[in-house]
Amino acid sequence: MTQLLQRQVRNRLLRRFPEDSFELLAPLLEPVELPVRHSLVQPRKPIEHVCFLESGLASMVAESADGKSVEIRHIGREGIAGYPVVLGVDRTPNGTFMQVPGHGLQVAKENFLPTLENADVRQLLLRYVHTCELQLAHTALAAAKFNVHQRLARWLLMCHDRIDGNDLPLTHDFLALMLGVRRAGVTDELHILEGMRAIKSTRGNVRILDRDMLIEIAGGCYGVPEEEYERLIENSPQPSALPLHLNGNHHHHTL
């Protein structure tokens, strides 16, 4: 396999790696297809790989002791699946699996951990974990203080940040998991957003018609974690001189 070049990757964390660290890691990165429902982290099982997503959308899900579950955060090309290993944790009760198919670059945990010996890499990844915590905090804030259609607008914006184009291949079942509501309730909330001409919803797809309207609807429950990611990851001094933006064709955040 020809040497993977840093400028070729789409994952925003890998793009920010110091050049020498990337060159050490590159031969160990294995391209993987990530179909729908593919498990990236199994609950309470040892984390064997870290996966840098290049496309698609993964969901991290929390599950109660009696089997109730809710999506707690998204992972796209802004992040990595299996990030608890950065904190010295070998497993987690939360599961992570693909909701929108894509592909990624996977590395075995034992090959990944030595990269954390580089102070710049360690700082980058710990800053990423901080933005993950912030996303969780704002998910809790949204659940406690905002209406369901505002929370739906927030989740759709977060999906839009991570998926190319304006068509989000999201099922009603997934939207129900995202929001922690019954499936029938999702249909009602989608109709509210459709009535405001922000989206067009069809079976298994939500098309974003007016992103600015979605931001207005979401109100204060969207934006703070996204701004923190830009501040700490994208706009922090970069060890290697790489262009900031991955995707010239995006008109919105490319998290």
Side-chain angles (χ1 to χ4, degrees):
M1 177 180 154
T2 53
Q3 177 70 30
L4 182 67
L5 299 176
Q6 196 167 8
R7 66 174 181 271
Q8 294 173 326
V9 300
R10 301 184 76 199
N11 183 277
R12 290 174 78 183
L13 288 177
L14 280 179
R15 298 277 293 206
R16 306 295 297 190
F17 265 49
E19 228 168 282
D20 54 348
S21 294
F22 180 84
E23 285 171 9
L24 288 172
L25 188 61
L28 307 171
L29 292 168
E30 177 195 359
V32 285
E33 288 299 314
L34 301 172
V36 178
R37 310 298 295 181
H38 175 80
S39 178
L40 291 160
V41 176
Q42 293 191 48
R44 298 178 180 83
K45 298 277 179 69
I47 298 170
E48 294 176 353
H49 296 91
V50 166
C51 187
F52 293 86
L53 270 70
E54 290 274 280
S55 65
L57 185 70
S59 286
M60 183 182 283
V61 175
E63 190 169 302
S64 66
D66 56 356
K68 295 184 178 70
S69 61
V70 67
E71 194 203 46
I72 51 174
R73 60 180 313 271
H74 292 149
I75 303 168
R77 70 169 68 93
E78 89 296 344
I80 51 174
Y83 69 79
V85 300
V86 173
L87 302 174
V89 176
D90 73 329
R91 68 193 73 196
T92 171
N94 298 328
T96 303
F97 60 90
M98 296 301 293
Q99 283 287 3
V100 175
H103 67 283
L105 296 165
Q106 184 171 279
V107 57
K109 181 179 77 172
E110 60 269 22
N111 292 329
F112 170 72
L113 289 178
T115 64
L116 299 178
E117 291 166 17
N118 179 296
D120 288 330
V121 171
R122 191 164 62 249
Q123 183 189 58
L124 174 73
L125 294 174
L126 288 173
R127 284 179 165 193
Y128 168 66
V129 173
H130 164 70
T131 67
C132 294
E133 285 199 339
L134 200 59
Q135 195 189 116
L136 288 173
H138 280 254
T139 297
L141 176 65
K145 298 294 184 182
F146 288 80
N147 297 327
V148 178
H149 69 277
Q150 292 176 302
R151 290 165 50 209
L152 176 57
R154 172 181 182 254
W155 279 125
L156 292 176
L157 286 163
M158 289 166 64
C159 293
H160 195 218
D161 288 341
R162 292 164 172 80
I163 297 175
D164 292 325
N166 293 318
D167 283 303
L168 312 180
L170 306 174
T171 64
H172 284 207
D173 286 335
F174 173 44
L175 292 169
L177 176 68
M178 278 177 18
L179 294 167
V181 299
R182 289 173 53 244
R183 194 176 180 284
V186 168
T187 307
D188 296 338
E189 302 302 331
L190 287 169
H191 285 158
I192 292 173
L193 299 189
E194 282 193 296
M196 300 170 89
R197 300 209 167 103
I199 63 165
K200 171 77 176 151
S201 175
T202 50
R203 186 178 175 85
N205 192 77
V206 177
R207 174 172 288 180
I208 306 299
L209 300 178
D210 189 338
R211 181 178 169 88
D212 290 339
M213 174 63 76
L214 278 181
I215 291 172
E216 195 178 312
I217 294 164
C221 75
Y222 172 80
V224 173
E226 289 73 19
E227 286 170 11
E228 190 77 339
Y229 186 98
E230 295 296 326
R231 181 178 79 85
L232 290 174
I233 308 290
E234 286 295 7
N235 298 329
S236 60
Q238 191 175 17
S240 57
L242 286 170
L244 280 181
H245 297 295
L246 288 180
N247 236 349
N249 65 348
H250 266 217
H251 57 278
H252 58 276
H253 287 305
T254 48
L255 279 180

Tab-separated table of all heavy atoms in Angstrom, residues 38 101 128 155 187 194 197 210-211:
chain	number	residue	atom	x	y	z
A	38	HIS	N	-22.723	-1.130	11.910
A	38	HIS	CA	-21.395	-1.660	12.247
A	38	HIS	C	-20.991	-1.153	13.630
A	38	HIS	O	-21.060	0.035	13.907
A	38	HIS	CB	-20.375	-1.218	11.195
A	38	HIS	CG	-18.961	-1.616	11.527
A	38	HIS	ND1	-18.479	-2.893	11.306
A	38	HIS	CD2	-17.928	-0.912	12.075
A	38	HIS	CE1	-17.221	-2.950	11.694
A	38	HIS	NE2	-16.858	-1.766	12.165
A	101	PRO	N	-23.741	5.055	6.802
A	101	PRO	CA	-22.539	4.335	6.382
A	101	PRO	C	-21.439	5.276	5.895
A	101	PRO	O	-21.695	6.390	5.453
A	101	PRO	CB	-23.044	3.446	5.240
A	101	PRO	CG	-24.276	4.127	4.730
A	101	PRO	CD	-24.894	4.786	5.923
A	128	TYR	N	-9.865	17.295	22.194
A	128	TYR	CA	-11.020	16.677	21.536
A	128	TYR	C	-11.953	16.044	22.570
A	128	TYR	O	-13.177	16.218	22.501
A	128	TYR	CB	-10.558	15.627	20.514
A	128	TYR	CG	-11.695	14.768	20.014
A	128	TYR	CD1	-12.732	15.325	19.256
A	128	TYR	CD2	-11.776	13.413	20.339
A	128	TYR	CE1	-13.794	14.551	18.833
A	128	TYR	CE2	-12.838	12.639	19.913
A	128	TYR	CZ	-13.854	13.220	19.161
A	128	TYR	OH	-14.912	12.459	18.753
A	155	TRP	N	-30.093	18.362	16.711
A	155	TRP	CA	-29.534	17.100	16.219
A	155	TRP	C	-29.358	17.120	14.708
A	155	TRP	O	-28.369	16.616	14.180
A	155	TRP	CB	-30.434	15.927	16.614
A	155	TRP	CG	-30.292	15.408	18.018
A	155	TRP	CD1	-31.289	15.268	18.941
A	155	TRP	CD2	-29.106	14.933	18.672
A	155	TRP	NE1	-30.798	14.748	20.112
A	155	TRP	CE2	-29.462	14.536	19.979
A	155	TRP	CE3	-27.778	14.818	18.269
A	155	TRP	CZ2	-28.539	14.017	20.882
A	155	TRP	CZ3	-26.852	14.317	19.175
A	155	TRP	CH2	-27.242	13.921	20.457
A	187	THR	N	-42.543	12.015	14.130
A	187	THR	CA	-43.285	12.468	12.950
A	187	THR	C	-43.911	13.832	13.209
A	187	THR	O	-43.825	14.733	12.357
A	187	THR	CB	-44.382	11.436	12.589
A	187	THR	OG1	-43.764	10.146	12.473
A	187	THR	CG2	-45.054	11.782	11.283
A	194	GLU	N	-41.069	21.070	9.103
A	194	GLU	CA	-41.477	21.177	7.692
A	194	GLU	C	-42.395	22.390	7.499
A	194	GLU	O	-42.272	23.111	6.500
A	194	GLU	CB	-42.203	19.896	7.247
A	194	GLU	CG	-41.266	18.756	6.947
A	194	GLU	CD	-41.948	17.606	6.222
A	194	GLU	OE1	-42.855	16.974	6.816
A	194	GLU	OE2	-41.589	17.344	5.068
A	197	ARG	N	-40.651	25.369	6.928
A	197	ARG	CA	-39.861	25.286	5.687
A	197	ARG	C	-38.354	25.167	5.943
A	197	ARG	O	-37.538	25.630	5.144
A	197	ARG	CB	-40.157	26.482	4.770
A	197	ARG	CG	-41.626	26.570	4.365
A	197	ARG	CD	-41.788	27.234	3.012
A	197	ARG	NE	-43.155	27.035	2.526
A	197	ARG	CZ	-44.079	27.987	2.577
A	197	ARG	NH1	-43.803	29.160	3.099
A	197	ARG	NH2	-45.286	27.751	2.080
A	210	ASP	N	-33.233	24.926	4.835
A	210	ASP	CA	-32.847	26.246	5.339
A	210	ASP	C	-32.096	26.080	6.656
A	210	ASP	O	-32.692	26.018	7.729
A	210	ASP	CB	-34.107	27.109	5.538
A	210	ASP	CG	-33.789	28.568	5.841
A	210	ASP	OD1	-32.665	28.842	6.310
A	210	ASP	OD2	-34.677	29.411	5.635
A	211	ARG	N	-30.775	25.993	6.532
A	211	ARG	CA	-29.934	25.785	7.724
A	211	ARG	C	-30.070	26.943	8.716
A	211	ARG	O	-30.132	26.729	9.924
A	211	ARG	CB	-28.478	25.610	7.285
A	211	ARG	CG	-27.528	25.364	8.457
A	211	ARG	CD	-26.094	25.148	8.012
A	211	ARG	NE	-25.221	25.174	9.179
A	211	ARG	CZ	-24.924	24.122	9.924
A	211	ARG	NH1	-25.425	22.931	9.635
A	211	ARG	NH2	-24.131	24.236	10.988
